[in-house]
């Protein structure tokens, strides 16, 4: 068994930043963590402040192709969705593999050690399954493995084209790609997905717009059997709440609760327009809320009730979702800053709480409870953040935590280790030319 | 007369991004701009997309020392102000020169060609003038010259410690440093300020909290005589509105209007809680509003009525103010993104409008109407932004403008030319080790 040793100039251990921290790693896990020792001979030195690996709890990898392509005109979430559908239409297993590999590598550069990929682009454009019905999901699993990060593939059930006044409407246009024949057919397909090492299969209920209550129950049963995470988009838009209430006489959260979905393995993604009663239901069941603030800004979703959720004791996570930005420091501080805009007060969420959202809470919500903290026995993920860039200069050990959350950007990440394996060094991905692959993969999708 | 020539892979000219743009510069001004030509021999090549120099229309340089030092606890604008006052107490002309030089150099790295420094730290800690009563202002002028950027020193009148139920209260504690004996004494001092080349002297009325109406008039008269910009903090906090209304039966904007301050040379900084009537008054007088979104987020000020201001035809500018972040791309996109959070709609401000805020509008508000656009006769400021970083990869000439506003960060600025003089190349300041000087200057203020 090979033991490797890292010496960190500073490291975040047990909620505080300590100086001169030595960690030993064997078989991808920390075997010891000790502060205040000089660097042992032969150890790899990590400068600045070393934090646990970040968890990106909500991602749609292909949205990376939309970055700076949806900003020219005005509109709403719904007009944006039309542009997103155009990109979705063009992808196949090979082109999706290339785009996702580059996008996950961009995540690695930002210090992300694990991604929750909320996946609904399952079939051929006309809805016919590929010869391998999991070709698209497997492309995503392979992409993450190549980028060097863990993935939880949250395979999403998507059966209906929307919930209108008349009830659920059929899939239309590009949505044909998203749909399995039924929830049972979804479960059969997902059962055939084999996760590679570093991969895990979870479930997703796309939303109350796309999945009826009976079908939700099938997903919940599948997930309960294998103890898998279940994620769902919840109350991102007011109109979802209104239509759900009109049709089901329930809020989306309540409807998911009736289907048995809520619980510690459940993440409600967004919950922007969750009510007080929803927050109580999420809290009482131990459910998680995944916030995606840069996407919620971008799409004009509104500001979520994060102070209310924190008061109710709901664990929160963060995700870069549409990848308008891939920077979990920006996501974490946005949780607090957008709450400040709403409440006109500072400090609903402390820097420690914000970092917990981006690390251990996120990993746990993706089925990796033994990640996100630098502690013996945990998965050995390390992220070194510079304290000597123009953005972070002036920070000290005492203020390092605040500097990471409120001053650093993804560009300040210099080194990333995932389960003991170096992925990023000196700000460069060790195996992928990320910007070049991104440019080529995006061009392949967007050029006509 | 030396003529230098730059060839830009792409450049923003007349509102659109063109390819292969050659600009000639003599005496610090553009003499010609031509698109579609190959690079002339001997020209300096600038890659990515070249935009006009950015203008940071509102800065308090010394707040840079507070970055990541005010985030640990909860509170309000007013508790934050106490921490800011502690830093203010420690500065002298030498330490302020060092801190401002490093901060202005951080701005140069972010593509900022001109700063509006809203300056109120005039005197010794007990209020006694320095032997040279403009020692602090001159330190700022020198700092900007050394960092290579233009400065408009907006010398602020600050007479009162606040506007309470009882009326104006005396300066207290560290505020003693801010105060001149009277508005006339302020004008006499400011008259003695000589701006170096690249510097300009403007006026500021700190706020309706710190300046009574009769004293405002003195500032306005001084500024009218020399056609100087006049800036004032306006309606950043609701309580300012309430106290102003209680004491003066006017909103802050209306009070400034009665004092003759409004007009094309006037910038209302923040205007977060400006009313519809205030917006009309600003519009009808040709006044400008300076938005500082990252500061307004940080301090929990709230979201300003930027769609209303745009509809009313009020020109807007942006500033990094408290320097929680120095990144005018982030400020510009935040104007739009925070409006989206408020309105739950996208696109109140187009990418072109947002870039105009950060460039020509900003320069004009600082008294440099011949800057902020790449056009013959204008000041020759150029900023090259990478389109091949992981953040911007995938952008094309067609989407370059959106990529700059919505995807780029200050870290994507590679080259900066101010009035024909190269200041930043390959992402490095040519004369200042910015991060090292920031670290030393911040430590000198904050360590005990």
């Amino acid at each position: 068994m090979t033991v490797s040793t890292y010496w960190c100039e500073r490291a975040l251990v047990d909620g505080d930043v300590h100086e001169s921290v030595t960690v030993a790693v064997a078989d991808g896990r920390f075997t010891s963590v000790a502060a205040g020792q000089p660097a042992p001979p032969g150890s790899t030195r990590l400068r600045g402040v070393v934090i646990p690996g970040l968890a990106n709890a909500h991602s749609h990898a292909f949205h990376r192709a939309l970055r700076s392509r949806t900003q020219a005109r005005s509109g709403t979430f719904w007009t944006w969705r039309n542009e997103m559908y155009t990109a979705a239409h063009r992808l196949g297993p090979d082109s999706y593999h290339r785009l996702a590999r580059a996008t996950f590598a961009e995540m690695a550069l930002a210090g992300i050690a694990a991604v929750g990929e909320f996946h609904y682009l399952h079939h051929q454009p006309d809805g016919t399954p590929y010869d391998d019905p999991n070709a698209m999901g497997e492309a995503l699993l392979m992409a993450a493995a190549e980028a060097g990060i863990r993935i939880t593939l949250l395979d999403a059930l998507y059966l209906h084209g929307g919930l209108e006044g008349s009830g659920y409407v059929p899939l239309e246009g590009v949505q044909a790609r998203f749909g399995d024949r039924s929830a049972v057919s979804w479960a059969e397909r997902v059962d055939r997905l084999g996760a590679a090492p570093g991969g895990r299969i979870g479930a997703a209920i796309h939303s109350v717009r796309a999945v009826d209550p009976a079908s939700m129950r099938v997903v919940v049963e599948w997930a309960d059997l294998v103890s898998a995470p279940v994620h769902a988009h919840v109350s991102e838009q007011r109109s979802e709440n209104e239509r759900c209430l009109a049709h089901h006489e329930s809020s989306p959260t309540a409807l998911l609760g009736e289907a048995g979905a809520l619980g510690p393995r459940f993440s409600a993604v967004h919950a922007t327009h969750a009510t007080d009663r929803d927050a109580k239901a999420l809290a009482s069941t131990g459910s998680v809320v995944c916030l995606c603030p840069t996407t919620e800004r971008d799409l004009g979703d509104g500001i979520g009730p994060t102070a209310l959720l924190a008061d109710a004791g709901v664990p929160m996570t963060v995700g870069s979702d549409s990848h308008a930005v891939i920077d979990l420091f920006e996501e974490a501080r946005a949780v607090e800053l957008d709450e400040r805009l709403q409440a006109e007060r500072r400090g609903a969420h402390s820097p420690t709480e914000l970092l917990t959202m981006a690390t251990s809470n996120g990993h746990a919500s993706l089925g990796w409870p033994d990640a996100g903290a630098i502690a013996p026995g945990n998965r050995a993920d390390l992220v070194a953040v510079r304290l000597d860039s123009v953005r972070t200069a002036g920070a000290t050990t005492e203020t390092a935590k605040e500097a990471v959350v409120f001053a650093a950007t993804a560009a300040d990440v210099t080194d990333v280790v995932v389960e003991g394996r170096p992925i990023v060094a000196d700000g460069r991905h060790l195996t992928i030319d990320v910007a070049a692959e991104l440019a080529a993969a995006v061009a392949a999708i967007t050029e006509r």
Side-chain angles (χ1 to χ4, degrees), chain A:
Chain A
M1 189 169 79
T2 321
V3 177
S4 51
T5 309
Y6 293 87
W7 177 83
C8 311
E9 187 179 6
R10 299 175 195 83
L12 181 65
V13 179
D14 284 339
D16 283 313
V17 174
H18 301 266
E19 293 184 351
S20 205
V21 175
T22 302
V23 301
V25 176
D27 274 349
R29 291 181 182 267
F30 296 116
T31 54
S32 70
V33 177
Q37 310 289 326
S43 56
T44 303
R45 290 168 190 237
L46 299 175
R47 299 285 170 186
V49 58
V50 176
I51 63 171
L54 302 169
N56 192 357
H58 190 65
S59 160
H60 304 289
F62 77 92
H63 291 193
R64 175 62 180 79
L66 302 172
R67 189 182 296 174
S68 58
R69 279 191 163 68
T70 66
Q71 302 289 0
R73 289 171 301 282
S74 60
T76 64
F77 171 88
W78 307 102
T79 54
W80 169 87
R81 197 177 69 160
N82 290 339
E83 300 195 56
M84 182 268 282
Y85 278 2
T86 304
H89 184 67
R90 292 163 171 250
L91 287 160
D94 287 347
S95 56
Y96 202 4
H97 167 254
R98 285 193 294 273
L99 178 57
R101 169 183 147 105
T103 303
F104 294 151
E106 183 181 350
M107 291 184 197
L109 287 171
I112 291 164
V115 62
E117 177 64 24
F118 194 110
H119 169 53
Y120 54 84
L121 210 55
H122 302 304
H123 304 300
Q124 296 186 58
D126 66 355
T128 312
Y130 287 100
D131 290 345
D132 171 358
N134 284 313
M136 294 292 254
E138 283 155 4
L140 292 164
L141 292 168
M142 183 165 56
E146 290 169 5
I149 67 174
R150 283 191 300 278
I151 183 170
T152 297
L153 186 71
L154 300 157
D155 193 299
L157 176 61
Y158 198 118
L159 290 176
H160 307 294
L163 182 56
E164 306 294 342
S166 55
Y168 285 98
V169 299
L171 299 175
E172 194 182 29
V174 73
Q175 294 174 333
R177 307 196 70 171
F178 311 163
D180 291 287
R181 280 196 319 280
S182 67
V184 171
S185 154
W186 167 88
E188 285 167 1
R189 180 177 57 73
V190 176
D191 271 335
R192 294 169 61 184
L193 260 171
R200 177 155 289 184
I201 308 301
I205 293 163
H206 179 276
S207 60
V208 298
R209 291 177 273 127
V211 183
D212 57 90
S215 301
M216 288 177 194
R217 279 187 208 101
V218 177
V219 177
V220 171
E221 279 163 27
W222 180 91
D224 284 349
L225 267 175
V226 294
S227 293
V230 181
H231 288 218
H233 293 120
V234 176
S235 295
E236 183 175 3
Q237 295 289 319
R238 291 183 197 279
S239 64
E240 176 180 297
N241 280 14
E242 290 158 10
R243 289 169 191 190
C244 194
L245 198 63
H247 190 76
H248 293 296
E249 297 178 4
S250 283
S251 72
T253 299
L255 196 68
L256 286 154
E258 288 160 23
L262 305 192
R265 284 184 284 99
F266 179 74
S267 286
V269 181
H270 303 299
T272 310
H273 301 287
T275 63
D276 288 16
R277 181 184 279 188
D278 292 338
K280 284 197 188 99
L282 293 164
S284 67
T285 54
S287 300
V288 175
V289 166
C290 178
L291 307 163
C292 307
T294 68
T295 296
E296 291 150 13
R297 287 175 180 168
D298 191 18
L299 301 188
D301 293 338
I303 302 175
T306 63
L308 177 73
L309 292 167
D311 287 346
V314 176
M316 284 175 273
T317 65
V318 291
S320 66
D321 188 0
S322 69
H323 312 312
V325 173
I326 293 181
D327 186 338
L328 290 199
F329 305 135
E330 175 71 9
E331 302 294 343
R333 64 178 156 256
V335 172
E336 165 64 15
L337 294 175
D338 289 354
E339 170 59 24
R340 292 185 190 179
L341 286 177
Q342 186 161 245
E344 299 180 16
R345 274 195 71 81
R346 312 173 90 227
H349 311 289
S350 73
T352 298
E353 289 161 349
L354 296 168
L355 268 176
T356 301
M357 295 179 195
T359 56
S360 52
N361 280 7
H363 291 287
S365 80
L366 300 175
W368 314 95
D370 52 354
I374 300 172
N378 265 17
R379 291 171 192 270
D381 305 334
L382 297 168
V383 175
V385 182
R386 292 175 63 177
L387 294 183
D388 65 351
S389 76
V390 293
R391 293 168 291 279
T392 54
T396 61
T397 300
E398 288 66 38
T399 60
K401 208 162 39 177
E402 290 87 82
V404 166
V405 177
F406 285 98
T409 72
D412 294 312
V413 170
T414 57
D415 297 81
V416 180
V417 174
V418 178
E419 300 193 7
R421 200 155 59 97
I423 305 299
V424 171
D426 288 331
R428 290 175 185 279
H429 197 284
L430 292 171
T431 57
I432 295 178
D433 181 342
V434 184
E437 290 202 13
L438 278 170
V442 171
I445 309 304
T446 54
E447 284 176 8
R448 280 128 218 268

